[in-house]
Amino acid sequence: MTALSVAGVSKRFDAVQALSRIDLSVGEGEFLCILGPTNAGKSTLLKTIAGLHRPDEGRIIIHDRDVTELQPAPRNVSLLFQTIALFPNRSGFDNIAFPLRQAGMTEDRVTHRVHEVAKLLKITHVLGRLPRTYSGGERQRVAIGRAIAHPTDILLLDEPLSNLDARIRLELRIEFRRLHKTQGQTIIYVTHDQIEALSLADRVAVLHEGRLQQVDRPERLHDMPANRFVAEFIGSPPMNLIPARLCAEGGSFRLVGSGFAVDAPRDIVPRIPGDEVCIGVRPEAVRLDLQPTTKAPFPVRIRWVEHHGSRSIVHADLGGTIVKATVPAQTSLAVDSFAWLGFTPRGESILDLATDSFILRPEGNAPCEKIVKAIESAPVGITSPQLDYNAG
Amino acid sequence: MRDGALVLQNLTKVYDDRSVVKDFTLSVSDGEFVALLGPSGCGKSTILAMIAGFEQPDAGSVSIDGRSVDALPPHRRKVGLVMQDYAVFSRMTVRQNLEFGLKMQSVGSSERRARVSELVERLSLGDLLKRKGDALNLSEMQRVALARALITRPSLLLLDEPMSNLDASVRSRLRSELKLIQREFEQTILYVTHDQIEAMSMADRIAVMRDGTIEQIGAPAEIYRRPRNRYVAQFLGEPPINLINCTVEQRFGEPIAHMPSNGTLPLPRGIIFEGAAILAIRPHNVRVAHQTDQNTGTARVADVENLGAEHVLHLDYGEQHLAVVTTPGYASVGDILHLVFDLIHAHLIDPASGEVVASELRGAPV
């Protein structure tokens, strides 16, 4: 069943087109992350779903009910903002109990539920205290507790972890996953942090300048980005995009760039529209050696070795293009030394420079199976999630 | 590198009877990049404020370039400061922003222009010069703030969480930009952050802080590989290090760790510790196998976390939690796996003191 459909939603603020024709469906019990940089329109989309903004065009459908014209309250969604607002003069218990009492629950059941939620979030020890005595992590957990205490149809979370220290963020991320598993609630989670999105979500919707770029499962987003924006946004570090030109050499096709020439993947050649492309190569797939080998035949100069603990990221200068490679932590590559680099282009990672889209995307923007079923059974008038990568 | 670009001696700061900085001593060499790494409230920003002269220490002294600055006001300390909110003047153009500090120092107009054009070239700010501060995006603002601090040629550049407002992808780019600029200008930097990736990737040395004092200071790889105690071990590395409660028994001079799930793990000879212990090992240094000849116990996959190029398996190991990093697709929820511990990257911690009692458990018998 479809929990939420966003159909052709656009929203404009004065001169800024915040959202452009957003089509998105979220399955019952699905965890969907909306991922994008600052000002991508993520919060606007969330607030439009919650009913805090009215879309200029398009519909919002929650559980087969068109709620576009409804006020926030009857939509039966809960929303947790980035900046936490707890009642300062009420205890943790009363803060979490608030939505339950609003819903008219008996005091017995309120007590039971508050303790259940507190145990889940490990905040039993702060229930009797006032918010000003809490640490940042405790405040955030109590706020999350209040948002989830009374299960609504959809839980909307706007960057719930972004004001917190890295360590607490990591802990809460794992707790969110556990929470979603145990409660099975439909969650829409806005973040600019790709690690959060990839690790939490069933599917990720990448938003940029008010347009959906790709809606896909995390591993596909990582392995098969739809366009330049997604390729450069996902992955730490993101995919290398190495400029190259298609050349015919004695009957075979080669991709030639500054400082290198490699065989063009055969399946892609007839489909390359122009001569100018970029070869997408994940940093994990770049080969670096101290000696020239057939797998690493191109000389590079090492510009920087970035230590990340368990691994290092080497910035190698390949004919003027910086190519990043992930190597083991104990690397003998040193700054300003020379090394040898190689990579094998994959057909699905060739980017057409004219459109900034990857050429081979046979399955297009495949939604997950349960979504497909949900959409097939949805009432007429709701558009399916679709994306035209080549659209303006 | 010359010693003594910055020397902090026994700095102490007390707010409302609470010491936020305690007897803090640190020496930063000329051209060195040192990161103060710690959680919110550990005193790192207060230290920066005392160096810059915005806060007076209750005890101790600050010297910059070999002379005491305790009596000097902020603007005479030759210190550049970039904060989280940048404070770029929004009504001024980028050029005016850059020249502002120089005007304050009464630098002549031809010299001002020369310095602006030098920086503009090195920081690729050319397109921005005529723009007003309020027309910049966050990453442009960050570069302008950095340029404005560098243009006065400070002896010391202080950076207080300068990237925490930025998106992850922008941060990754700015890390390499900042490092290249620092190397080119040979700029001494003290960098405050709670983000271990920023500290690990840019700093020559990291000072890991807790409650106003340094827990450990050293090169990033050194601190990562040989943490002194549980706190430091937990602070660096993502996913965080595993802390496995176990019991060490000395069996005729052969130390053995009794692990969860009825496992046993022979430890290298020479470890004299006995009793309840914590085996600290990073998720990258535990391998999982569908079969093994070691009897370290089995673990069940409770959850698989996707981090893009790697997956993190969250395992139920007896009653304990164990995280292991694998290549994508190795195991799925419910699988029962055997464990192989790469002891050369493991440490033994005394749970009572939290101190590491044996580091990098070398020479483990097979």
Side-chain angles (χ1 to χ4, degrees), chain A residues 180-198:
Chain A
H180 177 243
K181 268 195 187 161
T182 47
Q183 300 221 343
Q185 200 179 2
T186 308
I187 297 180
I188 301 177
Y189 185 112
V190 160
T191 181
H192 67 265
D193 182 338
Q194 48 143 331
I195 292 288
E196 246 171 67
L198 292 179

Side-chain angles (χ1 to χ4, degrees), chain B residues 34-74:
Chain B
V34 172
L36 298 183
L37 175 67
S40 334
C42 74
K44 51 194 195 307
S45 296
T46 308
I47 291 171
L48 230 55
M50 289 192 282
I51 298 169
F54 299 131
E55 291 274 3
Q56 286 304 312
D58 292 311
S61 67
V62 179
S63 52
I64 294 171
D65 268 348
R67 72 195 173 115
S68 164
V69 297
D70 294 326
L72 296 181

Side-chain angles (χ1 to χ4, degrees), chain A residues 254-271:
Chain A
R254 307 265 287 164
L255 290 165
V256 182
S258 178
F260 72 91
V262 289
D263 286 338
R266 214 172 295 163
D267 49 343
I268 190 86
V269 171
R271 303 181 60 167

Side-chain angles (χ1 to χ4, degrees), chain B residues 292-315:
Chain B
T292 172
D293 50 3
Q294 293 190 20
N295 180 28
T296 51
T298 55
R300 184 183 165 278
V301 181
D303 196 8
V304 182
E305 196 181 355
N306 185 342
L307 299 185
E310 298 172 328
H311 281 184
V312 183
L313 306 181
H314 294 279
L315 308 174

